[in-house]
Amino acid sequence: MSTSKTFGQFLSDVRKKSGYASPKDLAVKAGISFTDYTKYEFDEERPPVEALMAISPLLSGTSLAELKERAGFVDLTQEQVPTQIPRSKRLRDLVARIEELSDDQLDELHLYVGFLVVQQEISRIKMM
């Protein structure tokens, strides 16, 4: 598979290789909207991580990490992570626990933190 393919082309190829003849077959099996899924294959929208999490177990030979990378999500490398150690013991303990999470647990945490940020932004806008 050429890396010059768009995400939608890649997704379509992997879907077919995984035995799903139509986009609807995969969308139904993954429990996501057929309309949304076709937008991903036609490169009209970038799928959210939640959709990739639903799709990835159904695609042969394609990991969630690869789907995220091809869809344009950036994972922080060690060089990009702040190296300053948090001063508070409570925060140091929290960071240590986060470092022990699996990739799937980190994805869930990312989604939850994103939700909290959105809720905070909505509250800020309402106060204006």
Side-chain angles (χ1 to χ4, degrees), residues 43-103:
D43 294 307
E44 294 173 4
E45 285 185 12
R46 181 172 85 162
V49 174
E50 300 93 337
L52 297 178
M53 290 172 68
I55 295 167
S56 67
L58 305 173
L59 300 176
S60 304
T62 305
S63 67
L64 176 58
E66 183 178 11
L67 284 175
K68 286 171 47 180
E69 179 183 330
R70 287 187 175 261
F73 290 94
V74 178
D75 288 329
L76 290 176
T77 64
Q78 282 303 111
E79 295 82 43
Q80 295 171 307
V81 175
T83 55
Q84 182 177 0
I85 298 171
R87 291 183 184 178
S88 106
K89 178 176 177 357
R90 187 173 179 193
L91 189 53
R92 282 194 311 271
D93 291 345
L94 178 60
V95 169
R97 290 176 57 199
I98 289 171
E99 289 173 346
E100 295 172 358
L101 296 176
S102 70
D103 286 345

Side-chain angles (χ1 to χ4, degrees), residues 12-40:
S12 176
D13 288 349
V14 173
R15 170 185 52 80
K16 292 171 188 171
K17 288 179 183 176
S18 299
Y20 296 94
S22 74
K24 187 172 186 176
D25 294 339
L26 181 58
V28 168
K29 183 77 172 178
I32 61 176
S33 159
F34 168 66
T35 303
D36 288 344
Y37 181 83
T38 57
K39 290 178 185 177
Y40 312 149

